[in-house]
Amino acid sequence: MDKEVIIDRVTEILKETPASMQIVKKGGNRDARFHYLARHMVNKAIDKDALVLSSNEMGIAIVLRNSNSKTSFIKEMTENIKLVLNVTGFKNVSTILKNQKYIKNQRPKDQDYLYCWFWGISKDARGADTQVGKEMKDEFLRRAHKYNLPLYAETQTRRNTIVYQKFGFDLFHTWNRPDGKTMYFMKYDPTKHEDKYNK
């Protein structure tokens, strides 16, 4: 794995992802802000052993395990301050924090689980004939079955919700956000699919 190549690919995917487009401050050198966010995410994924790559490294995901995602208060505070300075700016911090709190509250508070924090495929590897999406999906579900843990995800794209449902996810909550956007919350429960998926 070439870490810098992965960061560059995540950067490009973030530029067209609604959630990241909403939090990255506009104006100035916005490309640098996306790149900073991508580096932060990839470093965190490597640190938490949560980075998932397709065989050609064009499909990239970050699947965190709740029990492994704890960070020291000082480190987390330092990272958040750097993100405000280098990515979001101060103007929208309050809204971003409120949204993140709402999103996190849709997941269990005292239960171990897997969380798909990020998932994307580089433009050149998209399409049904590439099989990258299927390969990534199979790895997500393999992990859910391996650890016998539910897998959570959310999306602002209705089309993605339909794809998740085809994979076996259930739509368990829909949030009409104050900004007019809609967010869909998905959950894959491996105990419902034991007869369809080999561990």
Side-chain angles (χ1 to χ4, degrees), residues 26-71:
K26 295 179 175 61
N29 190 354
R30 203 174 187 211
D31 286 348
R33 297 191 188 105
F34 278 110
H35 195 268
Y36 187 97
L37 178 59
R39 183 175 296 281
H40 165 77
M41 293 172 69
V42 171
N43 283 338
K44 183 171 182 177
I46 292 171
D47 183 53
K48 304 295 183 183
D49 192 26
L51 188 64
V52 180
L53 300 175
S54 64
S55 55
N56 64 3
E57 300 187 353
M58 300 295 275
I60 305 165
I62 300 173
V63 179
L64 296 164
R65 182 167 177 172
N66 185 49
S67 59
N68 295 339
S69 61
K70 310 301 182 188
T71 305

Side-chain angles (χ1 to χ4, degrees), residues 8-33:
D8 287 343
R9 288 175 182 164
V10 171
T11 301
E12 293 308 310
I13 295 168
L14 288 174
K15 289 179 183 178
E16 55 184 17
T17 304
S20 57
M21 290 168 65
Q22 289 158 12
I23 68 170
V24 174
K25 182 181 176 183
K26 295 179 175 61
N29 190 354
R30 203 174 187 211
D31 286 348
R33 297 191 188 105

Side-chain angles (χ1 to χ4, degrees), residues 151-178:
L151 172 61
Y152 289 84
E154 68 269 343
T155 179
Q156 293 184 44
T157 308
R158 180 62 185 168
R159 182 180 66 252
N160 291 347
T161 305
I162 296 170
V163 173
Y164 275 115
Q165 289 174 311
K166 287 181 179 178
F167 292 168
F169 283 75
D170 294 316
L171 173 63
F172 70 90
H173 182 61
T174 301
W175 179 30
N176 296 314
R177 297 179 3 165

Side-chain angles (χ1 to χ4, degrees), residues 136-149:
M136 300 293 286
K137 177 265 296 184
D138 288 345
E139 176 59 21
F140 300 157
L141 303 191
R142 185 193 70 78
R143 292 187 180 206
H145 283 270
K146 176 182 178 182
Y147 299 114
N148 195 30
L149 292 175

Side-chain angles (χ1 to χ4, degrees), residues 8-136:
D8 287 343
R9 288 175 182 164
V10 171
T11 301
E12 293 308 310
I13 295 168
L14 288 174
K15 289 179 183 178
E16 55 184 17
T17 304
S20 57
M21 290 168 65
Q22 289 158 12
I23 68 170
V24 174
K25 182 181 176 183
K26 295 179 175 61
N29 190 354
R30 203 174 187 211
D31 286 348
R33 297 191 188 105
F34 278 110
H35 195 268
Y36 187 97
L37 178 59
R39 183 175 296 281
H40 165 77
M41 293 172 69
V42 171
N43 283 338
K44 183 171 182 177
I46 292 171
D47 183 53
K48 304 295 183 183
D49 192 26
L51 188 64
V52 180
L53 300 175
S54 64
S55 55
N56 64 3
E57 300 187 353
M58 300 295 275
I60 305 165
I62 300 173
V63 179
L64 296 164
R65 182 167 177 172
N66 185 49
S67 59
N68 295 339
S69 61
K70 310 301 182 188
T71 305
S72 73
F73 176 78
I74 298 298
K75 182 178 180 181
E76 186 174 3
M77 182 65 69
T78 301
E79 289 176 352
N80 288 339
I81 291 172
K82 288 180 178 179
L83 286 172
V84 169
L85 293 173
N86 294 286
V87 179
T88 67
F90 290 92
K91 185 178 180 180
N92 298 319
V93 169
S94 177
T95 299
I96 292 169
L97 290 176
K98 286 178 183 177
N99 288 346
Q100 288 181 344
K101 182 178 180 181
Y102 186 96
I103 292 168
K104 188 174 182 179
N105 282 343
Q106 305 313 307
R107 304 193 295 272
K109 293 177 176 60
D110 301 308
Q111 177 187 336
D112 200 5
Y113 60 85
L114 299 174
Y115 174 54
C116 188
W117 185 32
F118 172 84
W119 178 19
I121 301 174
S122 294
K123 289 180 180 179
D124 294 341
R126 293 174 190 167
D129 56 329
T130 67
Q131 294 297 303
V132 174
K134 180 182 183 303
E135 183 184 340
M136 300 293 286

